[in-house]
Amino acid sequence: MKNLSLKYNDFEALKNISFELENGKTYGLLGRNGAGKTSLLSLIASFREPTEGKILIDGEEPFENAKIMQQVAFVYEKDYKDETGTVKEMLQIAEYYRPNFDKEYANYLIDRFHLPLKKPVNKLSKGMQSAMSVTIGLASRAPLTIFDEAYLGMDAPTREMFYKEILADQEKNPRIIILSTHLVSEMDYLFDEVLIIKKGKLIVQEEYEDLISKGVSITGESRVVDEFTSGMKILNEQQLGNTKSVMVYEKLLEKQRYDAERLGLDVGPIPLQDLFIHLTEEV
């Protein structure tokens, strides 16, 4: 993605976004409601053209490019109320249009999610509709597979099955997978790399391990905490009596950790969800 911008009339949904995705990685795309996540994914999936900038997939522009579009699967929440075709028919359509579709793997997922092949899609529960959608997405084996809040309607055990399948299939059949989600604490272990969007701008693109290593909580005597964190990027602070806890966005060196311990300060990690909340909060 090179200098991507997208406007809806006078509203700028995406603002000069640039990044690169690598094969074999699972990306977590995070952002608050209205941040621009779905707009970005719709550009990648060729649902629309960018107002400015360029997208290249395997060196080619994807919009109205049949060869490239076959290699991109975009799974998102759909309204199936008018879909009278059966689950079996939906899978047959996906197999026809997806050159890498793995029918054997699809059948395995059908059994795993207990999908009723002969039932009309509009008669399925919301959870079953989601399970059918992710089955199509996973079995498509598209080199670029996007799941935009694809778990909606699934109960916790079904979501867990979905997550396990992502991990297992990514290991056996590496591809680019993008997961757009609000369930950060539930899905963060799936991410190799994290992208965070705020108000249409890409504010973070980091390896998962590097990102969470930058989130640190410093707790101890208020005065000592203030002195130790002076000059650091502070995301949040809380105080109870003379004890203060500060959340900083900075990777501590070993010497800094040693100094913190010597000063009687407690240094702890911050979950990705908390980092995401504070990095994207309104100022």
Side-chain angles (χ1 to χ4, degrees):
M1 324 306 150
K2 298 180 180 180
N3 307 116
L4 282 187
S5 294
L6 179 66
K7 291 182 179 179
Y8 301 106
N9 298 320
D10 293 330
F11 176 67
E12 195 170 20
L14 298 172
K15 305 170 186 177
N16 196 33
I17 288 180
S18 297
F19 62 90
E20 187 173 337
L21 305 180
E22 299 175 29
N23 188 43
K25 282 190 173 184
T26 300
Y27 294 86
L29 178 63
L30 312 180
R32 300 198 174 204
N33 289 333
K37 301 187 304 299
T38 298
S39 292
L40 175 61
L41 296 178
S42 69
L43 291 179
I44 297 172
S46 299
F47 281 24
R48 53 173 58 90
E49 285 186 284
T51 308
E52 295 176 10
K54 184 177 286 189
I55 300 173
L56 295 177
I57 297 177
D58 199 22
E60 298 185 35
E61 294 191 36
F63 191 73
E64 296 185 344
N65 182 333
K67 184 183 79 171
I68 296 297
M69 289 175 70
Q70 283 184 324
Q71 308 301 320
V72 182
F74 186 18
V75 181
Y76 57 96
E77 185 189 15
K78 295 181 182 178
D79 185 352
Y80 287 110
K81 66 180 181 181
D82 297 322
E83 184 53 69
T84 57
T86 64
V87 172
K88 183 177 181 180
E89 289 168 341
M90 292 291 284
L91 289 163
Q92 287 172 338
I93 291 170
E95 183 179 5
Y96 179 79
Y97 285 106
R98 296 293 175 188
N100 300 310
F101 192 89
D102 188 326
K103 189 172 182 179
E104 184 178 341
Y105 183 45
N107 289 332
Y108 161 78
L109 293 172
I110 288 163
D111 290 340
R112 193 105 161 83
F113 291 122
H114 305 294
L115 285 169
L117 286 174
K118 296 181 180 180
K119 196 167 185 177
V121 173
N122 62 359
K123 300 298 183 184
L124 296 177
S125 68
K126 192 70 176 173
M128 282 293 182
Q129 289 178 353
S130 295
M132 182 194 71
S133 293
V134 303
T135 293
I136 291 171
L138 287 167
S140 74
R141 293 264 167 79
L144 175 50
T145 304
I146 302 166
F147 295 101
D148 185 13
E149 307 283 4
Y151 53 78
L152 292 177
M154 289 182 178
D155 56 24
T158 308
R159 292 198 305 272
E160 187 61 30
M161 281 194 287
F162 171 48
Y163 304 156
K164 287 180 179 177
E165 288 304 325
I166 286 176
L167 287 174
D169 202 55
Q170 184 69 310
E171 185 175 348
K172 294 176 186 175
N173 302 278
R175 49 178 145 168
I176 294 173
I177 294 178
I178 304 174
L179 299 170
S180 173
T181 181
H182 286 101
L183 297 180
V184 182
S185 62
E186 190 173 288
M187 297 176 70
D188 59 3
Y189 70 99
L190 300 173
F191 307 152
D192 295 305
E193 201 164 307
V194 177
L195 297 94
I196 300 178
I197 291 182
K198 179 180 180 181
K199 294 183 177 180
K201 294 182 178 180
L202 182 67
I203 63 168
V204 170
Q205 182 186 10
E206 296 225 31
E207 296 283 340
Y208 171 76
E209 294 295 341
D210 288 342
L211 179 58
I212 60 171
S213 72
K214 288 183 177 179
V216 180
S217 67
I218 311 290
T219 306
E221 184 185 340
S222 178
R223 178 187 57 80
V224 181
V225 169
D226 286 340
E227 289 176 358
F228 183 81
T229 58
S230 177
M232 295 183 182
K233 182 176 181 179
I234 296 175
L235 298 178
N236 186 48
E237 52 185 74
Q238 296 177 323
Q239 187 157 350
L240 182 61
N242 194 37
T243 300
K244 191 171 191 177
S245 181
V246 172
M247 183 185 297
V248 300
Y249 183 55
E250 185 163 325
K251 192 167 186 175
L252 296 188
L253 303 173
E254 284 301 317
K255 182 181 183 306
Q256 288 174 300
R257 290 180 178 275
Y258 172 79
D259 289 342
E261 185 178 339
R262 182 175 54 81
L263 292 167
L265 300 176
D266 181 47
V267 179
I270 299 174
L272 177 60
Q273 176 161 297
D274 290 346
L275 264 180
F276 162 65
I277 289 170
H278 292 290
L279 286 170
T280 58
E281 67 185 354
E282 301 296 329
V283 179

